[in-house]
């Protein structure tokens, strides 16, 4: 059977609907949030996640450190990196080393791969092919190493000096410098960082980072178009019928991890496509807002101003895409950066 909605539920229900004592996931790219969620599965089930594309792409430092933390702090979870390029996405439930249930498809084990309906698919593995999958699994395991192995090669994050006014270093390193100021050079009083202070349907601390069309034009890989075509109604969305919002993973410079949401709609006349208008947090918009206010040292009811940002040390956030649906958010103020 083919599945293209609720993939996250399908993947996590596999261990609940089958008699298994081992759950193995091979995924071209991975995110830390789904791996962390594996801790909610029965403790007696051993979980193994294999990051497949390490063999060709290595892994970014922030994601690597996040996975090490999970590996070291959550019992009965092994995280491996394949030393040969593996782009497949396979989810296998095993009982005493034999597969009893599984899915295969295009969905990476990441928020972006599992939570965005119709974007990816999974299908049941045919029982008659289980022996072939076991051979493949053993081959991949033989060519994988633990995430804590000292030989792991890590891609360091490029840090662009926060005072630079040059666009070229940013473009060359695929880093989007998203300003927190408006066109007047001020912090908006009722939107952006201060969204929660507006009179709309908001909660205390709500905030978002604006995504300008100039960012979209300069960084198409960081901000891909939305899943619908302008003018075609999407009957499957639970929100507005002509809008789809993609959940992603955000890893901040201090190691904080949260779920992000690429939301809203911005029309790009250059290609006729619809793009996200802002980046917020999920499931509550206030998660990001409270986090940023804590870093700025201001209260929930304080109207953030440019003076607050200058006192903190920067008025922008550097955004880069470090894996499938995984973003690195740099709001650091280390004087050496």
């Amino acid at each position: 059977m083919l599945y293209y909605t609720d993939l996250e539920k399908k993947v996590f229900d596999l261990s609940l609907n089958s008699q298994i004592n081992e759950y193995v996931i091979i995924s071209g790219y991975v995110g830390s949030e789904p791996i962390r969620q594996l801790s909610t599965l029965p403790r007696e089930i051993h979980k193994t996640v294999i990051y497949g594309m390490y063999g060709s792409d290595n892994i970014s430092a922030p994601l690597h450190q996040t996975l090490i933390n999970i590996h070291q702090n959550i019992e009965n979870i092994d995280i491996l990196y394949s030393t040969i390029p593996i782009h497949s996405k396979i989810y296998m439930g095993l009982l005493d080393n034999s597969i009893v249930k599984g899915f295969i498809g295009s969905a990476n084990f990441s928020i972006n791969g599992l939570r965005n309906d119709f974007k990816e698919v999974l299908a049941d593995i045919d029982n008659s092919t289980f022996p072939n999958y076991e051979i493949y699994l053993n081959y991949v395991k033989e060519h994988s190493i633990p995430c804590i192995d000292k030989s792991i090669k890590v891609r360091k994050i490029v840090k662009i000096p926060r005072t630079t006014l040059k666009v070229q270093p940013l473009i060359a390193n695929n880093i989007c410098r998203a300003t927190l100021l408006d066109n007047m050079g001020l912090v908006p009083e009722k939107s952006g960082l201060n969204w929660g202070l507006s009179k709309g349907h908001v909660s205390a601390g709500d905030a978002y980072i604006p995504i300008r069309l100039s960012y979209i034009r300069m960084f198409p890989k960081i901000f891909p178009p939305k899943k619908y075509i302008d003018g075609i109604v999407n009957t499957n969305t639970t929100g507005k019928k002509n809008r789809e919002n993609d959940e992603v993973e955000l890893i901040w410079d201090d190691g904080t991890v949260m779920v992000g949401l690429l939301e809203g709609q911005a029309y790009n006349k250059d290609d006729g496509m619809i793009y996200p208008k802002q980046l917020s947090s999920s499931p509550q918009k206030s998660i990001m807002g409270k986090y940023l206010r804590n870093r700025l040292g201001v209260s929930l009811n304080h109207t953030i101003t440019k003076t607050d940002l200058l006192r903190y040390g920067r008025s922008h956030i550097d955004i880069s895409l470090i894996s499938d649906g995984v973003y690195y958010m740099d709001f650091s103020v280390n004087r050496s950066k």
Side-chain angles (χ1 to χ4, degrees):
M1 185 172 179
L2 184 68
Y3 308 103
Y4 40 81
T5 61
D6 297 324
L7 297 185
E8 185 176 42
K9 186 175 188 302
K10 293 290 183 185
V11 164
F12 280 89
D13 281 355
L14 184 149
S15 64
L16 303 177
N17 298 333
S18 308
Q19 293 296 318
I20 65 173
N21 52 23
E22 184 179 6
Y23 192 9
V24 181
I25 297 168
I26 299 175
S27 180
Y29 297 96
V30 300
S32 67
E33 186 62 23
I35 297 178
R36 185 179 287 106
Q37 285 182 254
L38 288 175
S39 63
T40 63
L41 300 183
R43 293 181 60 185
E44 61 271 17
I45 298 176
H46 185 83
K47 303 93 176 174
T48 300
V49 178
I50 303 175
Y51 165 40
M53 290 302 287
Y54 168 80
S56 64
D57 297 351
N58 295 333
I59 187 169
S60 68
L63 180 57
H64 176 58
Q65 187 56 55
T66 302
L67 298 184
I68 287 178
N69 292 339
I70 295 174
H71 179 88
Q72 294 177 334
N73 294 305
I74 301 180
E75 63 176 328
N76 223 11
I77 293 181
D78 286 334
I79 302 174
L80 309 177
Y81 297 168
S82 173
T83 58
I84 56 175
I86 297 294
H87 199 255
S88 55
K89 296 88 176 176
I90 312 174
Y91 301 79
M92 294 165 281
L94 294 84
L95 178 63
D96 300 333
N97 298 316
S98 296
I99 298 175
V100 296
K101 175 72 175 178
F103 301 118
I104 186 170
S106 64
N108 279 310
F109 194 52
S110 65
I111 288 176
N112 195 46
L114 298 176
R115 292 189 183 178
N116 298 310
D117 291 352
F118 296 93
K119 186 174 184 180
E120 311 291 351
V121 299
L122 290 175
D124 292 305
I125 296 176
D126 188 274
N127 294 17
S128 64
T129 63
F130 284 169
N132 302 90
Y133 279 90
E134 290 167 8
I135 294 173
Y136 181 73
L137 171 58
N138 290 331
Y139 178 81
V140 175
K141 279 187 172 182
E142 289 171 2
H143 292 82
S144 298
I145 55 179
C147 67
I148 55 174
D149 194 285
K150 293 182 179 180
S151 67
I152 296 294
K153 297 179 180 178
V154 177
R155 284 185 281 110
K156 294 183 178 179
I157 290 293
V158 176
K159 294 280 190 175
I160 305 298
R162 68 185 190 284
T163 55
T164 186
L165 299 177
K166 299 179 181 179
V167 175
Q168 182 54 36
L170 297 167
I171 295 178
N173 291 285
N174 206 31
I175 298 173
C176 174
R177 177 151 291 178
T179 182
L180 300 173
L181 307 177
D182 60 19
N183 293 331
M184 300 295 291
L186 302 173
V187 179
E189 294 185 356
K190 302 295 183 181
S191 60
L193 295 182
N194 292 314
W195 192 21
L197 299 177
S198 68
K199 296 182 179 180
H201 298 288
V202 295
S203 299
D206 282 359
Y208 65 82
I209 301 169
I211 300 174
R212 300 184 176 186
L213 278 175
S214 59
Y215 305 161
I216 291 168
R217 295 186 178 108
M218 286 190 289
F219 306 100
K221 292 183 179 180
I222 297 180
F223 305 111
K226 309 204 80 171
K227 292 184 302 220
Y228 68 90
I229 300 175
D230 189 27
I232 298 179
V233 173
N234 182 355
T235 59
N236 297 292
T237 180
T238 56
K240 294 184 178 180
K241 297 304 180 183
N242 65 340
R243 184 172 69 191
E244 278 289 339
N245 297 324
D246 287 347
E247 286 192 318
V248 294
E249 185 171 307
L250 309 179
I251 300 179
W252 292 82
D253 57 274
D254 62 357
T256 298
V257 180
M258 66 181 66
V259 178
L261 192 67
L262 291 167
E263 62 177 350
Q265 49 188 321
Y267 177 73
N268 183 4
K269 63 180 180 180
D270 293 344
D271 59 13
M273 300 293 288
I274 303 297
Y275 290 82
K277 189 176 182 180
Q278 59 200 42
L279 175 61
S280 62
S281 56
S282 179
Q284 290 87 35
K285 320 289 187 187
S286 60
I287 295 174
M288 179 191 291
K290 291 177 179 178
Y291 166 77
L292 291 174
R293 284 175 175 273
N294 182 62
R295 292 191 68 167
L296 292 172
V298 299
S299 65
L300 280 181
N301 59 2
H302 174 79
T303 299
I304 299 173
T305 66
K306 183 177 181 179
T307 300
D308 294 315
L309 296 179
L310 294 178
R311 185 185 301 114
Y312 173 75
R314 67 189 298 163
S315 59
H316 55 262
I317 296 173
D318 287 348
I319 305 173
S320 53
L321 184 64
I322 60 174
S323 187
D324 174 59
V326 182
Y327 291 78
Y328 180 67
M329 312 288 289
D330 186 7
F331 194 46
S332 61
V333 290
N334 188 309
R335 298 305 173 187
S336 65
K337 298 172 183 175

